[in-house]
């Protein structure tokens, strides 16, 4: 296999990043085409990736281009349908998280994928960040003993437009953002979450509240092995894009987090000051490219991707339970075995 | 009033610190006597404070010495009885937290205090730490806007002996340690906690488990004004005495925390290293002396102490609710008005 | 002008980085060819950049390929000759620092460049690092008032092979490494250095001493406007690639520096630990690509490059004076006007 | 010996700190009397130390009080005369640094001290700071290998009044402030400085310039064992009292320094902010009390103090040489053996 031929479905913020990485950074892969029906996004693709065929419609793209794989970065509400179409066409898939909005539709999509036999990797970016990878390595090395506490926060500077926050579109704060902290918890603790309790509300932003979403939330989690977790998500950390995760074991702890943007301090009579990252690319850096390369390498070597559809389903199950707990005010148990 | 005459009831770790501060640091106050029935603690008092009259028994001390006030640093299970005796003797009281083990016994003690008309200040040390005071000042200044999220952790390096962890003696991890984070939350957020949900277990230390206590716990909290909290307590942060607190508002955030002991970094081929505080005095520094001075100043000026018995009761009510939630697995509502 | 056609002369560590950036990152430019006579380096080029024509010899390359510009990344001792040949061929030049080993040969090369009228930009990478750029911006904004003190250190983890350290090849520690700190000083202070005094020795590495070089050095500097500087260079900072620079003004200060590699801390009973960067790419990140893009943009827009040959000459003059002071034990004055 | 009877000579800023520590913190010692002829300073002493006999004149004090030792904290220009008088009276001496303004007068004073046989300890406070002690311990442990580079800076927020800066009173910036960095260098490197070169000027403060002093200076140093040093002193670090010291060895490095005052960070849309220490007590904390205790312990145990008069003389010799180099523009060699 010389160079994998890959298309990107949806070129919003994430899709454009994937397209650009495919065009310039990823080895043994080529950006073949994208789907978009927006002239403005088409321009953006041209600026970042050069001349690339663009299609209004996924079916049209599939019909017109010879492809090995696709990256699905459309709206979450369209993920499952797109996964099913691409799988039916025999294409390997990297799908942005979450896989879908309900476990039922996700199960359906995974059945199609499994029956066709293509590979489906979930786009859990943080796993490919050098910081989280080093944390995982340290935990696996035994440096902190037995993991006992998991604490994590994800903060965005400003709320998204309500059209995105909509539970029927992105799944809302818990499915879209705390999803990452749930996945990191499962991965770093090497354990499953079996119970959650959440508090959440639209305290600041009436717009996200008007579409049923919350802007801030805290979730308590219990792991099957006994460990405990505290997860926080915020759409209003005005001071920066604040991603911090820590695992405390019975012999030590690891902390991952970086808010500073440039390595510069200003010192004056009013104190000591430094800047902060405000966007995901500023904070995550190479992780997107590393993730794509990993996907491509797995296809080239014909091995299972590091983030499976089951990882996606298990993470989504916890996220849905947490959102349900926030809505009902009661703890929610999660079936250990799906 | 020239110099207040103060006795210390109980000279364990905390009591000895108070006695030493009274003997050497606090202005307009004098250490008059202590109670202890241990020859070893009596020696420690002599080493730290010089020659001080010592009594086996509080009644004996009260009968023998002319006193203005007492500091109660006995076992928590004896707090209420000691408060009642001292109040009955017309003495002002600084009482270590928590005031008692049940709200009922605390109500009883406060009734005695109020009917006699002496002052009762609660020993909420962290409030007197320069760091938390600066955080409070910043929040009050409006620098972070409206507080929305409260995150706090208190970690001790090693579990206490089970005789101390015993729920009937110290109240266990939640009443003894997370109590601080609950109080800080109420104080920094300037709001009351109305609902809690907790997960906790004795994961590491069978001994504290054998007396009904937990060694690690996470608690979700909801404030009356809508804000949300995540509180963590651990008896097994082997890497140091880890106290961190943060408040995120809709315009910014404050973080309080310091783990480093000396301002020294060692850099070698294996990385960059620094030390950590392991004990409360290393971390809290002058806060104990500042708290005592505040108590003495209030008595001298005849003004209300900054931490009232109602502060103690409201904090204890939340702690008891959190412990109850951990035990029952259900969220617990806290009556807003006591 | 559609895409600039650029060749890379010399594909050692720096040259390979430039070639890779040209091949993948830089807009409006194309990597046309490289020179190398080493099969091993040729392999490395192929791995990083794909199929690229390679030539043993610069003249051959110039004769065979249609070119707009070259990047000279050969040994410093060959810089001047290469600059002269390329300028004579009408090619624009980005030359790695320093421009040469003596001011005389550099003057000669600049004369050729000026008479032909091609552009010559010096490869002062740090200027293009986001950290130093932010520091410059803060200083220019007046945030620190009048700059008074300049302190800078550059540390490499291990000494280079003596064949590289050789004063006749790379110019040694002062011309090769402290050169950066001299340039940053001139640029950040917006002032010229008029006097230097240096102490230096081969304390650790006999090999670099055997070729006349030093492994550690400190240099005091005086700026024309009165400000003072302290520059340190080390080939033996075993703990990491340590680049720190600060400017103290009469109203504040800026500090630039980052040693940490991943944003991860490990905490255990022995303390708190984090990792460190060990290589230039780890520390400087995108600066190399940013520099190349700047060069290309200047050619496309036909404007003067941000780092001129005069910048290179003035920096080299100070470096040579500092090396001379170390050798003679006397302060050396630098003619303000060249 | 029950309790040492100690007087404090001079109760300016330093003397008052010593008096207060003697009155309240130091074991086995008692504050017997002070000298002062200022009603305002007498008031300050009373506020900090309670009722203490005060004398206009040292001779009068010596004649009137039974004493074991004195702490000399008068103006530097009076140190030597005070040392001679106290030694002649058979009193042990803790003398603030530097011992005097010239090596000649210091030699005379040390001769008197030695002939009488009293102990003379120099008040090198930083040695007693927990941070520098930990750094020393790490270096002695071999953790950084052979020390090769010494870098140190001492910054004061604002210049002193010219009456103090006067070379004939305090000795100026180099003898008063950089003295600390010279001593720390000798102590941490366990080596003597044999050559210095300095640049210094009154760039910001005309007043200190008018009395012959400088407000900023950098000094290069060479140690007998080959290591190199860079020392910086500033009277205009407006952002705080900035004391940083580092030693780089051939296997690692240690860094000492702390600018932050409270462990609080404010984060808002403009960045991340924290406060800074502005005064010596804020930065040095317990070091003054620790130093006095060490002096008292040495007298009680009749052992040699950790900082000898020879330490004071060797440090002063380097400081005078550095000041001379700044004045003459030439490197100055320091006789290794005095």
């Amino acid at each position: 296999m010389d160079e994998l031929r890959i298309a990107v479905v949806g070129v919003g913020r994430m899709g454009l990043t994937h397209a650009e990485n495919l065009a310039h950074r990823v080895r043994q892969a080529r950006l073949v085409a994208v789907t978009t029906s927006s002239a403005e996004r088409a321009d953006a693709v041209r600026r970042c990736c050069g001349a690339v065929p663009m299609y209004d419609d996924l079916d049209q793209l599939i019909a017109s281009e010879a492809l090995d794989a696709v990256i699905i970065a459309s709206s979450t509400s369209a993920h499952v349908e797109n996964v099913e179409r691409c799988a039916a066409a025999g294409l390997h898939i990297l799908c942005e998280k979450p896989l879908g909005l309900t476990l039922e539709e996700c199960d359906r999509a995974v059945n199609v994928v499994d029956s066709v036999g293509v590979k489906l990797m979930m786009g859990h970016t943080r796993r490919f960040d050098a910081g989280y990878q080093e944390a995982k390595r340290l935990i696996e090395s035994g440096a902190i003993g037995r993991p006992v506490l998991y604490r994590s926060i994800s903060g965005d500077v400003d709320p998204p437009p309500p059209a995105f926050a909509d539970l029927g579109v992105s799944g809302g704060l818990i499915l879209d953002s705390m999803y990452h902290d749930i996945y990191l918890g499962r991965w770093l603790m090497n354990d499953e979450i079996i119970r959650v309790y959440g508090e959440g509300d639209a305290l600041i932003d009436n717009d996200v509240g008007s579409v049923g979403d919350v802007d801030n939330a805290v979730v308590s989690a219990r792991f099957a092995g006994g460990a405990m977790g505290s997860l926080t998500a915020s759409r209003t950390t005005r001071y920066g894009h604040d991603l911090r995760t820590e695992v405390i074991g019975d012999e030590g702890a690891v902390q991952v987090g970086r808010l500073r943007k440039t390595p510069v301090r200003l010192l004056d009579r009013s104190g000591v000051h430094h800047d902060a990252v405000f966007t995901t690319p500023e904070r995550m850096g190479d992780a997107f490219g590393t993730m794509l390369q990993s996907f491509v390498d797995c296809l080239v070597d014909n091995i299972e991707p590091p983030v499976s559809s089951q990882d996606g389903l298990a993470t989504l199950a916890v996220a849905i339970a947490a959102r349900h707990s926030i809505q009902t005010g009661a703890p929610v148990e999660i079936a250990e075995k799906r």
Side-chain angles (χ1 to χ4, degrees), chain A:
Chain A
M1 194 183 294
D2 223 22
E3 233 182 9
L4 289 171
R5 300 176 55 84
I6 305 183
V8 175
V9 181
V11 285
R13 199 165 47 93
M14 283 297 94
L16 188 60
T17 300
H18 294 317
E20 190 172 11
N21 276 320
L22 268 183
H24 299 302
R25 305 249 152 90
V26 177
R27 294 180 304 276
Q28 297 192 268
R30 169 188 304 189
L31 173 65
V32 168
V34 306
T35 68
T36 182
S37 49
S38 146
E40 178 266 331
R41 299 312 291 167
D43 276 351
V45 170
R46 247 172 254 120
R47 264 197 315 279
C48 294
C49 312
V52 182
M54 306 200 197
Y55 296 86
D56 273 7
D57 180 65
L58 175 56
D59 288 334
Q60 210 181 333
L61 188 158
I62 292 175
S64 311
E65 300 280 352
L67 290 174
D68 295 300
V70 293
I71 299 173
I72 297 178
S74 58
S75 158
T76 298
S77 54
H79 279 184
V80 156
E81 191 191 323
N82 289 336
V83 165
E84 291 175 347
R85 279 195 218 178
C86 294
L91 303 176
H92 300 295
I93 300 164
L94 175 66
C95 184
E96 268 298 317
K97 38 57 55 182
L99 183 54
L101 294 171
T102 68
L103 292 170
E104 294 67 31
E105 65 168 5
C106 291
D107 281 338
R108 227 171 48 222
V110 171
N111 281 341
V112 176
V113 165
D114 289 351
S115 66
V116 176
V118 294
K119 294 193 203 304
L120 169 55
M121 172 164 150
M122 291 303 305
H124 294 184
T125 332
R126 292 199 201 160
R127 182 193 183 119
F128 299 94
D129 175 71
Y132 297 105
Q133 294 226 333
E134 174 67 2
K136 178 69 175 174
R137 190 190 67 75
L138 287 167
I139 294 169
E140 299 272 298
S141 79
I144 67 164
R146 172 187 168 190
V148 172
L149 289 169
Y150 172 71
R151 291 176 94 220
S152 197
I153 182 170
S154 288
D156 279 306
V157 174
D158 289 304
F164 178 85
D166 197 307
L167 301 198
V169 176
S170 68
L173 180 66
I174 306 302
L175 265 65
D176 188 54
S177 173
M178 190 179 278
Y179 181 99
H180 286 295
D181 302 279
I182 294 169
Y183 174 67
L184 284 176
R186 295 178 53 250
W187 180 54
L188 293 174
M189 306 294 281
N190 197 26
D191 199 357
E192 292 297 335
I193 291 170
I194 56 165
R195 186 168 56 235
V196 288
Y197 173 83
E199 298 274 358
D201 219 329
L203 296 174
I204 306 301
D205 191 76
N206 291 331
D207 288 348
V208 305
S210 71
V211 294
D213 197 17
V214 299
D215 54 25
N216 282 274
V218 298
V219 168
S220 298
R222 192 65 183 267
F223 288 84
M228 286 157 270
S230 158
L231 295 76
T232 304
S234 176
R235 293 197 184 289
T236 56
T237 52
R238 311 304 190 174
Y239 52 90
H241 185 42
D242 187 9
L243 309 183
R244 280 173 289 152
T245 294
E246 65 185 295
V247 177
I248 301 176
D250 68 343
E251 291 176 19
V254 288
Q255 298 177 338
V256 189
R258 176 177 64 86
L259 192 59
R260 190 180 290 203
K261 188 175 161 191
T262 58
V264 177
R265 300 204 306 169
L266 172 65
L267 307 91
D268 59 28
R269 282 199 193 264
S270 76
V272 180
H273 319 279
H274 68 78
D275 60 11
V277 294
F278 272 74
T279 66
T280 301
E282 281 173 358
R283 170 61 185 80
M284 298 300 291
D286 295 333
F288 291 95
T290 307
M291 180 172 76
L292 251 63
Q293 191 65 62
S294 166
F295 175 61
V296 167
D297 291 351
C298 289
L299 298 188
V300 168
D301 300 341
N302 193 25
I303 59 174
E304 285 309 303
V307 189
S308 69
S309 57
Q310 289 309 313
D311 263 331
L313 287 174
T315 303
L316 182 61
V318 178
I320 288 174
R323 196 178 59 184
H324 191 63
S325 173
I326 290 172
Q327 288 164 344
T328 61
V332 176
E333 310 278 334
I334 297 134
E336 256 190 87
K337 188 75 204 163
R338 282 185 38 82

